[in-house]
Amino acid sequence: MNAISFTTLERGKATVDAASLEALSAQIRGTVLREGDAAYDEVRGIWNGMIDRRPGLIVCCVGASDVVTAVNFARENRLLVCVRGGGHNIAGSAVCDGGLMIDLSLMKSVRVDVAAKRAWVGPGATLADVDRETQAFGLALPTGINSTTGIAGLTLGGGFGWITRKFGLTIDNLVSADVVTADGKLLRASQSENPDLFWALRGGGGNFGVVTAFEFQLHQFGPQVLSGLVVHPFADAAKVLSQYREALETAPDELTCWVVMRQAPPLPFLPAEWHGKEVLVLAMCYCGDVQASEKATQKLRAIGTPIADVVGLNPFTGWQQAFDPLLAPGARNYWKSHDFTELSDGVIEVTTEAIARLPGPECEIFFGHVGGAAGRVEADATAFPQRNSHFVMNVHARWREPAMDKACIDWARGIYDAARPYAAGTAYVNFMPEDEVDRVEAAYGGNYSRLLEIKQRYDPQNLFRMNQNLRAKEGRRAA
């Protein structure tokens, strides 16, 4: 058996001999995959169809000891490391060329302690896994809006969605995490154990190690929730957005409403003549008392003359999956994102003009509204930087054919550039594509320097660099 050569991005080539590979396979409970193995292509495939990379080696882990072994093997053999949880990240950081992929997708257990309202979640679990298990007991964790997203990547970047305004970000509900650091140690991070690492994990991404287990605080919630869509003609977009921002000024924490602007998919509740035409959608969720929900959503539902209003009582697990068909894996995707402290007239003008120039039927712009409980946390309490009540714009270019790459990417970048004068400067790292490495410092705002110090402490050789990477500039090295 010949030695295998792994091409890394920064250190040339590292050679691993056959005996070392055999020893690795013998040490883990999971499996080791190489190109040509039956499951190799399935495991290396991720959500964003634009990303097609080929790891030299994949270690499919089934427990923390496997992760420790994989990290030690990568460090000792000077291999580029990537870590796959749900594989949903837009930048494609879950997969690398030529290095070692640590695959956590089999580690997807979810255990709920009903009395304590706690959940212990494996890093391979998806939001659907978490929702299914917690809602069986009338409990919930605030997460994102696409159920196929992995809990690990979402959490490490911050995590926000339909019930964030009531219960905080996902990281605000993180109690502890088990982490394998670059030196192969398994540490527990919490407010009382390795608190600096715990601070950094809450928003700092995968820069500090591989999380092998999350402990979350849960909340009594569900299983029914008032939720749904109000669809407006795009011709009314400017007026609807103006009234939308006004309605949110007095919105209670229990109410979340996001905006989606795109061509209408063939939804069964929309008249056929609207299919494929530009629309503005108000997507709302009220996570409070059902009796109060109608009054709380009245201002939003009274805006304009909608094409359809399908807001009603739904199972929360179903609402969490409502956008899954529009975000299925395999398509080519490119995102550009800004935080805004207000939805200004300038932002409205930039985005509504852009919808008139959609390069494809799956491209869209959405605004997520974040605040409430998430906004009452100090900006330096966690690594997540933007704690003001704010709007997150995601320009989501999505298409199928490589020939459309330039048109769709240019469209997204053009909107991003035009909206920059109105932006807060920070950014949600989970929405940043792989070409935004120069934006990482600004994305973390005032928390960046502390993140650098902690990165230097736990990963001084930058083993974990397949992420929105924290890297000190020359002449300003982290202490």
Side-chain angles (χ1 to χ4, degrees):
M1 183 176 179
N2 295 327
I4 183 168
S5 176
F6 299 105
T7 302
T8 70
L9 297 184
E10 294 180 5
R11 300 190 181 187
K13 292 186 176 180
T15 300
V16 181
D17 59 45
S20 296
L21 286 173
E22 290 174 2
L24 173 64
S25 296
Q27 288 178 56
I28 69 166
R29 293 192 295 131
T31 56
V32 177
L33 299 176
R34 293 170 58 182
E35 189 163 3
D37 290 340
Y40 174 85
D41 283 328
E42 178 184 355
V43 176
R44 76 178 180 89
I46 58 173
W47 175 81
N48 187 354
M50 286 191 75
I51 311 296
D52 183 21
R53 301 183 186 131
R54 310 188 77 83
L57 195 66
I58 301 175
V59 179
C60 302
C61 302
V62 296
S65 63
D66 284 354
V67 176
V68 170
T69 299
V71 168
N72 286 335
F73 185 86
R75 185 189 64 254
E76 291 163 4
N77 289 280
R78 299 181 297 111
L79 302 179
L80 178 67
V81 175
C82 61
V83 183
R84 175 186 173 147
H88 209 281
N89 176 260
I90 182 64
S93 57
V95 60
C96 61
D97 274 323
L100 186 150
M101 172 192 277
I102 299 176
D103 172 40
L104 308 174
S105 61
L106 298 176
M107 297 172 61
K108 56 192 308 173
S109 65
V110 181
R111 180 172 68 85
V112 175
D113 182 329
V114 178
K117 296 182 181 178
R118 292 282 174 91
W120 286 263
V121 181
T126 65
L127 306 193
D129 296 325
V130 175
D131 291 337
R132 188 180 301 113
E133 196 68 20
T134 55
Q135 279 289 277
F137 304 102
L139 299 169
L141 173 71
T143 58
I145 69 165
N146 180 203
S147 78
T148 63
T149 303
I151 190 65
L154 177 107
T155 301
L156 295 175
F160 63 89
W162 300 118
I163 60 175
T164 292
R165 286 174 48 77
K166 176 64 176 176
F167 300 121
L169 300 171
T170 309
I171 55 171
D172 297 333
N173 294 275
L174 183 64
V175 177
S176 72
D178 294 344
V179 191
V180 178
T181 50
D183 56 4
K185 293 180 180 177
L186 179 62
L187 303 179
R188 187 171 189 266
S190 68
Q191 292 285 14
S192 58
E193 298 178 70
N194 302 297
D196 57 341
L197 179 59
F198 186 58
W199 180 89
L201 290 174
R202 289 175 292 162
N207 276 282
F208 308 96
V210 184
V211 176
T212 60
F214 296 88
E215 180 187 2
F216 292 109
Q217 182 67 52
L218 304 178
H219 302 271
Q220 201 76 42
F221 176 71
Q224 295 288 311
V225 62
L226 186 83
S227 60
L229 310 177
V230 181
V231 184
H232 290 268
F234 194 74
D236 298 340
K239 180 175 68 175
V240 171
L241 286 171
S242 178
Q243 294 181 46
Y244 160 77
R245 70 186 177 192
E246 182 181 339
L248 293 187
E249 290 176 0
T250 56
D253 291 355
E254 291 81 4
L255 178 60
T256 294
C257 185
W258 290 18
V259 172
V260 183
M261 295 181 285
R262 56 168 294 145
Q263 290 181 8
L267 298 171
F269 57 82
L270 287 178
E273 61 268 24
W274 281 99
H275 295 175
K277 292 185 177 179
E278 290 75 18
V279 293
L280 183 150
V281 181
L282 299 180
M284 62 189 73
C285 177
Y286 184 82
C287 58
D289 180 72
V290 173
Q291 301 301 318
S293 61
E294 293 290 340
K295 181 179 180 181
T297 58
Q298 185 177 4
K299 273 189 179 181
L300 289 166
R301 297 173 72 182
I303 294 173
T305 306
I307 304 163
D309 180 333
V310 289
V311 176
L313 282 178
N314 298 291
F316 182 62
T317 53
W319 178 239
Q320 284 283 86
Q321 299 173 27
F323 288 86
D324 286 3
L326 302 179
L327 296 166
R332 303 173 77 80
N333 291 266
Y334 182 82
W335 295 356
K336 295 295 280 187
S337 179
H338 279 302
D339 288 345
F340 300 106
T341 55
E342 63 174 350
L343 197 59
S344 66
D345 289 344
V347 174
I348 291 174
E349 182 178 357
V350 166
T351 53
T352 52
E353 285 182 354
I355 295 298
R357 299 180 281 104
L358 284 171
E362 295 184 81
C363 295
E364 64 184 18
I365 300 173
F366 78 71
F367 290 104
H369 183 219
V370 184
R376 289 190 286 273
V377 176
E378 294 297 322
D380 60 357
T382 65
F384 187 90
Q386 184 53 266
R387 289 299 189 160
N388 294 319
S389 181
H390 67 287
F391 296 89
V392 180
M393 177 190 74
N394 192 21
V395 181
H396 182 183
R398 179 178 171 91
W399 66 101
R400 304 286 167 163
E401 301 299 327
M404 295 177 63
D405 285 4
K406 186 176 188 306
C408 292
I409 292 172
D410 286 352
W411 176 77
R413 288 174 174 168
I415 301 165
Y416 171 84
D417 289 341
R420 190 198 305 265
Y422 311 103
T426 54
Y428 184 43
V429 293
N430 285 347
F431 286 173
M432 289 167 58
E434 62 178 328
D435 59 5
E436 290 195 346
V437 292
D438 294 336
R439 194 185 178 201
V440 175
E441 179 172 358
Y444 282 112
N447 290 336
Y448 188 72
S449 294
R450 184 179 177 189
L451 280 166
L452 279 183
E453 293 172 2
I454 298 170
K455 172 71 170 178
Q456 186 69 10
R457 195 173 308 143
Y458 287 95
D459 186 16
Q461 300 304 315
N462 203 16
L463 180 69
F464 301 112
R465 59 186 181 273
M466 287 293 293
N467 44 51
Q468 294 299 345
N469 198 228
L470 300 166
R471 184 173 305 185
K473 296 178 180 177
E474 291 300 326
R476 196 192 64 187
R477 288 286 174 189

PDB file of all heavy atoms in Angstrom, residues 182-213:
ATOM      1  N   ALA A 182      -7.037  22.163  19.916  1.00  0.00           N
ATOM      2  CA  ALA A 182      -6.008  21.823  18.940  1.00  0.00           C
ATOM      3  C   ALA A 182      -4.929  20.898  19.504  1.00  0.00           C
ATOM      4  O   ALA A 182      -4.280  20.166  18.745  1.00  0.00           O
ATOM      5  CB  ALA A 182      -5.370  23.103  18.409  1.00  0.00           C
ATOM      6  N   ASP A 183      -4.747  20.900  20.809  1.00  0.00           N
ATOM      7  CA  ASP A 183      -3.750  20.019  21.427  1.00  0.00           C
ATOM      8  C   ASP A 183      -4.305  18.642  21.756  1.00  0.00           C
ATOM      9  O   ASP A 183      -3.641  17.824  22.406  1.00  0.00           O
ATOM     10  CB  ASP A 183      -3.155  20.661  22.678  1.00  0.00           C
ATOM     11  CG  ASP A 183      -4.218  21.046  23.703  1.00  0.00           C
ATOM     12  OD1 ASP A 183      -5.416  20.747  23.474  1.00  0.00           O
ATOM     13  OD2 ASP A 183      -3.863  21.674  24.725  1.00  0.00           O
ATOM     14  N   GLY A 184      -5.561  18.379  21.319  1.00  0.00           N
ATOM     15  CA  GLY A 184      -6.168  17.071  21.530  1.00  0.00           C
ATOM     16  C   GLY A 184      -6.802  16.876  22.885  1.00  0.00           C
ATOM     17  O   GLY A 184      -7.198  15.761  23.239  1.00  0.00           O
ATOM     18  N   LYS A 185      -6.940  17.933  23.673  1.00  0.00           N
ATOM     19  CA  LYS A 185      -7.583  17.831  24.981  1.00  0.00           C
ATOM     20  C   LYS A 185      -9.095  18.007  24.849  1.00  0.00           C
ATOM     21  O   LYS A 185      -9.559  18.806  24.040  1.00  0.00           O
ATOM     22  CB  LYS A 185      -7.036  18.891  25.932  1.00  0.00           C
ATOM     23  CG  LYS A 185      -5.573  18.685  26.304  1.00  0.00           C
ATOM     24  CD  LYS A 185      -5.104  19.786  27.241  1.00  0.00           C
ATOM     25  CE  LYS A 185      -3.632  19.580  27.619  1.00  0.00           C
ATOM     26  NZ  LYS A 185      -3.142  20.693  28.491  1.00  0.00           N
ATOM     27  N   LEU A 186      -9.832  17.258  25.658  1.00  0.00           N
ATOM     28  CA  LEU A 186     -11.284  17.421  25.725  1.00  0.00           C
ATOM     29  C   LEU A 186     -11.605  18.277  26.932  1.00  0.00           C
ATOM     30  O   LEU A 186     -11.385  17.871  28.076  1.00  0.00           O
ATOM     31  CB  LEU A 186     -11.980  16.060  25.838  1.00  0.00           C
ATOM     32  CG  LEU A 186     -13.512  16.083  25.952  1.00  0.00           C
ATOM     33  CD1 LEU A 186     -14.142  16.707  24.707  1.00  0.00           C
ATOM     34  CD2 LEU A 186     -14.060  14.672  26.173  1.00  0.00           C
ATOM     35  N   LEU A 187     -12.112  19.498  26.668  1.00  0.00           N
ATOM     36  CA  LEU A 187     -12.413  20.454  27.730  1.00  0.00           C
ATOM     37  C   LEU A 187     -13.912  20.695  27.818  1.00  0.00           C
ATOM     38  O   LEU A 187     -14.629  20.559  26.831  1.00  0.00           O
ATOM     39  CB  LEU A 187     -11.715  21.791  27.458  1.00  0.00           C
ATOM     40  CG  LEU A 187     -10.195  21.778  27.289  1.00  0.00           C
ATOM     41  CD1 LEU A 187      -9.702  23.196  27.014  1.00  0.00           C
ATOM     42  CD2 LEU A 187      -9.513  21.194  28.518  1.00  0.00           C
ATOM     43  N   ARG A 188     -14.339  21.075  29.011  1.00  0.00           N
ATOM     44  CA  ARG A 188     -15.711  21.543  29.181  1.00  0.00           C
ATOM     45  C   ARG A 188     -15.679  23.054  29.291  1.00  0.00           C
ATOM     46  O   ARG A 188     -14.895  23.613  30.061  1.00  0.00           O
ATOM     47  CB  ARG A 188     -16.360  20.944  30.423  1.00  0.00           C
ATOM     48  CG  ARG A 188     -17.846  21.267  30.553  1.00  0.00           C
ATOM     49  CD  ARG A 188     -18.468  20.468  31.693  1.00  0.00           C
ATOM     50  NE  ARG A 188     -19.910  20.581  31.722  1.00  0.00           N
ATOM     51  CZ  ARG A 188     -20.593  21.473  32.453  1.00  0.00           C
ATOM     52  NH1 ARG A 188     -19.935  22.353  33.203  1.00  0.00           N
ATOM     53  NH2 ARG A 188     -21.902  21.505  32.439  1.00  0.00           N
ATOM     54  N   ALA A 189     -16.515  23.716  28.501  1.00  0.00           N
ATOM     55  CA  ALA A 189     -16.582  25.180  28.524  1.00  0.00           C
ATOM     56  C   ALA A 189     -17.941  25.602  29.058  1.00  0.00           C
ATOM     57  O   ALA A 189     -18.978  25.168  28.551  1.00  0.00           O
ATOM     58  CB  ALA A 189     -16.362  25.744  27.123  1.00  0.00           C
ATOM     59  N   SER A 190     -17.933  26.442  30.070  1.00  0.00           N
ATOM     60  CA  SER A 190     -19.168  26.957  30.667  1.00  0.00           C
ATOM     61  C   SER A 190     -18.812  28.250  31.396  1.00  0.00           C
ATOM     62  O   SER A 190     -17.669  28.718  31.360  1.00  0.00           O
ATOM     63  CB  SER A 190     -19.765  25.933  31.645  1.00  0.00           C
ATOM     64  OG  SER A 190     -18.931  25.795  32.784  1.00  0.00           O
ATOM     65  N   GLN A 191     -19.770  28.814  32.088  1.00  0.00           N
ATOM     66  CA  GLN A 191     -19.499  30.030  32.846  1.00  0.00           C
ATOM     67  C   GLN A 191     -18.485  29.787  33.955  1.00  0.00           C
ATOM     68  O   GLN A 191     -17.762  30.705  34.363  1.00  0.00           O
ATOM     69  CB  GLN A 191     -20.796  30.572  33.460  1.00  0.00           C
ATOM     70  CG  GLN A 191     -21.797  31.101  32.435  1.00  0.00           C
ATOM     71  CD  GLN A 191     -21.409  32.458  31.863  1.00  0.00           C
ATOM     72  OE1 GLN A 191     -20.280  32.917  32.011  1.00  0.00           O
ATOM     73  NE2 GLN A 191     -22.334  33.100  31.171  1.00  0.00           N
ATOM     74  N   SER A 192     -18.402  28.553  34.451  1.00  0.00           N
ATOM     75  CA  SER A 192     -17.502  28.259  35.571  1.00  0.00           C
ATOM     76  C   SER A 192     -16.253  27.479  35.161  1.00  0.00           C
ATOM     77  O   SER A 192     -15.285  27.433  35.921  1.00  0.00           O
ATOM     78  CB  SER A 192     -18.251  27.472  36.657  1.00  0.00           C
ATOM     79  OG  SER A 192     -18.775  26.264  36.119  1.00  0.00           O
ATOM     80  N   GLU A 193     -16.253  26.847  34.001  1.00  0.00           N
ATOM     81  CA  GLU A 193     -15.104  26.084  33.528  1.00  0.00           C
ATOM     82  C   GLU A 193     -14.639  26.639  32.184  1.00  0.00           C
ATOM     83  O   GLU A 193     -15.415  26.709  31.237  1.00  0.00           O
ATOM     84  CB  GLU A 193     -15.465  24.610  33.369  1.00  0.00           C
ATOM     85  CG  GLU A 193     -15.869  23.919  34.658  1.00  0.00           C
ATOM     86  CD  GLU A 193     -16.262  22.472  34.412  1.00  0.00           C
ATOM     87  OE1 GLU A 193     -15.376  21.654  34.104  1.00  0.00           O
ATOM     88  OE2 GLU A 193     -17.464  22.170  34.511  1.00  0.00           O
ATOM     89  N   ASN A 194     -13.379  27.027  32.112  1.00  0.00           N
ATOM     90  CA  ASN A 194     -12.834  27.630  30.895  1.00  0.00           C
ATOM     91  C   ASN A 194     -13.761  28.722  30.354  1.00  0.00           C
ATOM     92  O   ASN A 194     -14.200  28.674  29.199  1.00  0.00           O
ATOM     93  CB  ASN A 194     -12.596  26.558  29.835  1.00  0.00           C
ATOM     94  CG  ASN A 194     -11.663  25.471  30.318  1.00  0.00           C
ATOM     95  OD1 ASN A 194     -10.495  25.733  30.612  1.00  0.00           O
ATOM     96  ND2 ASN A 194     -12.186  24.247  30.432  1.00  0.00           N
ATOM     97  N   PRO A 195     -14.079  29.714  31.186  1.00  0.00           N
ATOM     98  CA  PRO A 195     -15.063  30.724  30.793  1.00  0.00           C
ATOM     99  C   PRO A 195     -14.641  31.558  29.592  1.00  0.00           C
ATOM    100  O   PRO A 195     -15.501  32.046  28.850  1.00  0.00           O
ATOM    101  CB  PRO A 195     -15.226  31.591  32.041  1.00  0.00           C
ATOM    102  CG  PRO A 195     -13.967  31.367  32.837  1.00  0.00           C
ATOM    103  CD  PRO A 195     -13.589  29.940  32.566  1.00  0.00           C
ATOM    104  N   ASP A 196     -13.326  31.732  29.384  1.00  0.00           N
ATOM    105  CA  ASP A 196     -12.885  32.482  28.204  1.00  0.00           C
ATOM    106  C   ASP A 196     -13.222  31.726  26.924  1.00  0.00           C
ATOM    107  O   ASP A 196     -13.666  32.314  25.933  1.00  0.00           O
ATOM    108  CB  ASP A 196     -11.393  32.776  28.291  1.00  0.00           C
ATOM    109  CG  ASP A 196     -10.529  31.525  28.445  1.00  0.00           C
ATOM    110  OD1 ASP A 196     -11.071  30.460  28.837  1.00  0.00           O
ATOM    111  OD2 ASP A 196      -9.314  31.603  28.178  1.00  0.00           O
ATOM    112  N   LEU A 197     -13.028  30.423  26.942  1.00  0.00           N
ATOM    113  CA  LEU A 197     -13.388  29.596  25.792  1.00  0.00           C
ATOM    114  C   LEU A 197     -14.890  29.600  25.577  1.00  0.00           C
ATOM    115  O   LEU A 197     -15.369  29.692  24.431  1.00  0.00           O
ATOM    116  CB  LEU A 197     -12.881  28.171  26.011  1.00  0.00           C
ATOM    117  CG  LEU A 197     -13.186  27.148  24.915  1.00  0.00           C
ATOM    118  CD1 LEU A 197     -12.595  27.574  23.582  1.00  0.00           C
ATOM    119  CD2 LEU A 197     -12.678  25.763  25.324  1.00  0.00           C
ATOM    120  N   PHE A 198     -15.645  29.543  26.671  1.00  0.00           N
ATOM    121  CA  PHE A 198     -17.105  29.574  26.578  1.00  0.00           C
ATOM    122  C   PHE A 198     -17.574  30.885  25.953  1.00  0.00           C
ATOM    123  O   PHE A 198     -18.467  30.900  25.088  1.00  0.00           O
ATOM    124  CB  PHE A 198     -17.713  29.390  27.971  1.00  0.00           C
ATOM    125  CG  PHE A 198     -19.217  29.272  27.990  1.00  0.00           C
ATOM    126  CD1 PHE A 198     -19.862  28.282  27.268  1.00  0.00           C
ATOM    127  CD2 PHE A 198     -19.978  30.150  28.756  1.00  0.00           C
ATOM    128  CE1 PHE A 198     -21.246  28.160  27.302  1.00  0.00           C
ATOM    129  CE2 PHE A 198     -21.359  30.039  28.785  1.00  0.00           C
ATOM    130  CZ  PHE A 198     -21.996  29.044  28.059  1.00  0.00           C
ATOM    131  N   TRP A 199     -16.965  31.994  26.353  1.00  0.00           N
ATOM    132  CA  TRP A 199     -17.302  33.302  25.761  1.00  0.00           C
ATOM    133  C   TRP A 199     -17.052  33.278  24.259  1.00  0.00           C
ATOM    134  O   TRP A 199     -17.881  33.725  23.473  1.00  0.00           O
ATOM    135  CB  TRP A 199     -16.453  34.387  26.425  1.00  0.00           C
ATOM    136  CG  TRP A 199     -16.691  35.768  25.910  1.00  0.00           C
ATOM    137  CD1 TRP A 199     -17.616  36.668  26.384  1.00  0.00           C
ATOM    138  CD2 TRP A 199     -16.025  36.408  24.811  1.00  0.00           C
ATOM    139  NE1 TRP A 199     -17.555  37.839  25.648  1.00  0.00           N
ATOM    140  CE2 TRP A 199     -16.596  37.697  24.679  1.00  0.00           C
ATOM    141  CE3 TRP A 199     -15.019  36.031  23.943  1.00  0.00           C
ATOM    142  CZ2 TRP A 199     -16.178  38.601  23.696  1.00  0.00           C
ATOM    143  CZ3 TRP A 199     -14.603  36.916  22.959  1.00  0.00           C
ATOM    144  CH2 TRP A 199     -15.172  38.190  22.836  1.00  0.00           C
ATOM    145  N   ALA A 200     -15.909  32.755  23.847  1.00  0.00           N
ATOM    146  CA  ALA A 200     -15.530  32.776  22.438  1.00  0.00           C
ATOM    147  C   ALA A 200     -16.390  31.858  21.579  1.00  0.00           C
ATOM    148  O   ALA A 200     -16.703  32.187  20.424  1.00  0.00           O
ATOM    149  CB  ALA A 200     -14.062  32.394  22.296  1.00  0.00           C
ATOM    150  N   LEU A 201     -16.764  30.720  22.123  1.00  0.00           N
ATOM    151  CA  LEU A 201     -17.590  29.778  21.363  1.00  0.00           C
ATOM    152  C   LEU A 201     -18.946  30.376  21.007  1.00  0.00           C
ATOM    153  O   LEU A 201     -19.544  30.011  19.993  1.00  0.00           O
ATOM    154  CB  LEU A 201     -17.816  28.494  22.174  1.00  0.00           C
ATOM    155  CG  LEU A 201     -16.617  27.575  22.372  1.00  0.00           C
ATOM    156  CD1 LEU A 201     -16.994  26.440  23.319  1.00  0.00           C
ATOM    157  CD2 LEU A 201     -16.126  27.017  21.038  1.00  0.00           C
ATOM    158  N   ARG A 202     -19.424  31.294  21.824  1.00  0.00           N
ATOM    159  CA  ARG A 202     -20.752  31.871  21.604  1.00  0.00           C
ATOM    160  C   ARG A 202     -20.674  33.015  20.583  1.00  0.00           C
ATOM    161  O   ARG A 202     -20.803  34.178  20.919  1.00  0.00           O
ATOM    162  CB  ARG A 202     -21.349  32.327  22.935  1.00  0.00           C
ATOM    163  CG  ARG A 202     -21.759  31.149  23.830  1.00  0.00           C
ATOM    164  CD  ARG A 202     -22.247  31.586  25.185  1.00  0.00           C
ATOM    165  NE  ARG A 202     -21.153  32.147  25.978  1.00  0.00           N
ATOM    166  CZ  ARG A 202     -21.337  32.919  27.046  1.00  0.00           C
ATOM    167  NH1 ARG A 202     -22.561  33.242  27.438  1.00  0.00           N
ATOM    168  NH2 ARG A 202     -20.291  33.373  27.706  1.00  0.00           N
ATOM    169  N   GLY A 203     -20.467  32.614  19.333  1.00  0.00           N
ATOM    170  CA  GLY A 203     -20.418  33.566  18.233  1.00  0.00           C
ATOM    171  C   GLY A 203     -19.128  33.548  17.461  1.00  0.00           C
ATOM    172  O   GLY A 203     -19.075  34.060  16.336  1.00  0.00           O
ATOM    173  N   GLY A 204     -18.067  32.959  18.031  1.00  0.00           N
ATOM    174  CA  GLY A 204     -16.753  32.981  17.397  1.00  0.00           C
ATOM    175  C   GLY A 204     -16.522  31.905  16.360  1.00  0.00           C
ATOM    176  O   GLY A 204     -15.412  31.776  15.840  1.00  0.00           O
ATOM    177  N   GLY A 205     -17.540  31.106  16.067  1.00  0.00           N
ATOM    178  CA  GLY A 205     -17.418  30.094  15.032  1.00  0.00           C
ATOM    179  C   GLY A 205     -16.535  28.934  15.450  1.00  0.00           C
ATOM    180  O   GLY A 205     -16.308  28.683  16.632  1.00  0.00           O
ATOM    181  N   GLY A 206     -16.000  28.217  14.437  1.00  0.00           N
ATOM    182  CA  GLY A 206     -15.226  27.012  14.706  1.00  0.00           C
ATOM    183  C   GLY A 206     -13.753  27.262  14.903  1.00  0.00           C
ATOM    184  O   GLY A 206     -12.942  26.346  14.706  1.00  0.00           O
ATOM    185  N   ASN A 207     -13.372  28.444  15.334  1.00  0.00           N
ATOM    186  CA  ASN A 207     -11.967  28.824  15.457  1.00  0.00           C
ATOM    187  C   ASN A 207     -11.225  28.169  16.613  1.00  0.00           C
ATOM    188  O   ASN A 207     -10.000  28.194  16.644  1.00  0.00           O
ATOM    189  CB  ASN A 207     -11.860  30.343  15.620  1.00  0.00           C
ATOM    190  CG  ASN A 207     -11.881  31.080  14.306  1.00  0.00           C
ATOM    191  OD1 ASN A 207     -10.873  31.127  13.614  1.00  0.00           O
ATOM    192  ND2 ASN A 207     -13.031  31.656  13.955  1.00  0.00           N
ATOM    193  N   PHE A 208     -11.924  27.596  17.571  1.00  0.00           N
ATOM    194  CA  PHE A 208     -11.297  27.238  18.840  1.00  0.00           C
ATOM    195  C   PHE A 208     -11.233  25.743  19.110  1.00  0.00           C
ATOM    196  O   PHE A 208     -10.623  25.323  20.086  1.00  0.00           O
ATOM    197  CB  PHE A 208     -12.034  27.939  19.988  1.00  0.00           C
ATOM    198  CG  PHE A 208     -12.155  29.416  19.743  1.00  0.00           C
ATOM    199  CD1 PHE A 208     -13.304  29.949  19.182  1.00  0.00           C
ATOM    200  CD2 PHE A 208     -11.094  30.256  20.022  1.00  0.00           C
ATOM    201  CE1 PHE A 208     -13.396  31.311  18.917  1.00  0.00           C
ATOM    202  CE2 PHE A 208     -11.180  31.617  19.758  1.00  0.00           C
ATOM    203  CZ  PHE A 208     -12.331  32.143  19.200  1.00  0.00           C
ATOM    204  N   GLY A 209     -11.858  24.953  18.285  1.00  0.00           N
ATOM    205  CA  GLY A 209     -11.842  23.519  18.501  1.00  0.00           C
ATOM    206  C   GLY A 209     -13.070  22.868  17.897  1.00  0.00           C
ATOM    207  O   GLY A 209     -13.841  23.499  17.163  1.00  0.00           O
ATOM    208  N   VAL A 210     -13.238  21.600  18.212  1.00  0.00           N
ATOM    209  CA  VAL A 210     -14.370  20.818  17.705  1.00  0.00           C
ATOM    210  C   VAL A 210     -15.312  20.525  18.867  1.00  0.00           C
ATOM    211  O   VAL A 210     -14.936  19.836  19.823  1.00  0.00           O
ATOM    212  CB  VAL A 210     -13.896  19.494  17.079  1.00  0.00           C
ATOM    213  CG1 VAL A 210     -15.083  18.737  16.479  1.00  0.00           C
ATOM    214  CG2 VAL A 210     -12.828  19.741  16.020  1.00  0.00           C
ATOM    215  N   VAL A 211     -16.513  21.051  18.810  1.00  0.00           N
ATOM    216  CA  VAL A 211     -17.493  20.804  19.865  1.00  0.00           C
ATOM    217  C   VAL A 211     -18.085  19.412  19.655  1.00  0.00           C
ATOM    218  O   VAL A 211     -18.581  19.090  18.571  1.00  0.00           O
ATOM    219  CB  VAL A 211     -18.600  21.866  19.863  1.00  0.00           C
ATOM    220  CG1 VAL A 211     -19.661  21.530  20.909  1.00  0.00           C
ATOM    221  CG2 VAL A 211     -18.014  23.251  20.150  1.00  0.00           C
ATOM    222  N   THR A 212     -18.034  18.600  20.695  1.00  0.00           N
ATOM    223  CA  THR A 212     -18.565  17.238  20.608  1.00  0.00           C
ATOM    224  C   THR A 212     -19.903  17.076  21.322  1.00  0.00           C
ATOM    225  O   THR A 212     -20.553  16.038  21.172  1.00  0.00           O
ATOM    226  CB  THR A 212     -17.557  16.235  21.188  1.00  0.00           C
ATOM    227  OG1 THR A 212     -17.305  16.552  22.564  1.00  0.00           O
ATOM    228  CG2 THR A 212     -16.255  16.276  20.397  1.00  0.00           C
ATOM    229  N   ALA A 213     -20.319  18.072  22.096  1.00  0.00           N
ATOM    230  CA  ALA A 213     -21.632  18.026  22.756  1.00  0.00           C
ATOM    231  C   ALA A 213     -22.015  19.434  23.205  1.00  0.00           C
ATOM    232  O   ALA A 213     -21.166  20.210  23.647  1.00  0.00           O
ATOM    233  CB  ALA A 213     -21.616  17.082  23.958  1.00  0.00           C
TER     234      ALA A 213
END
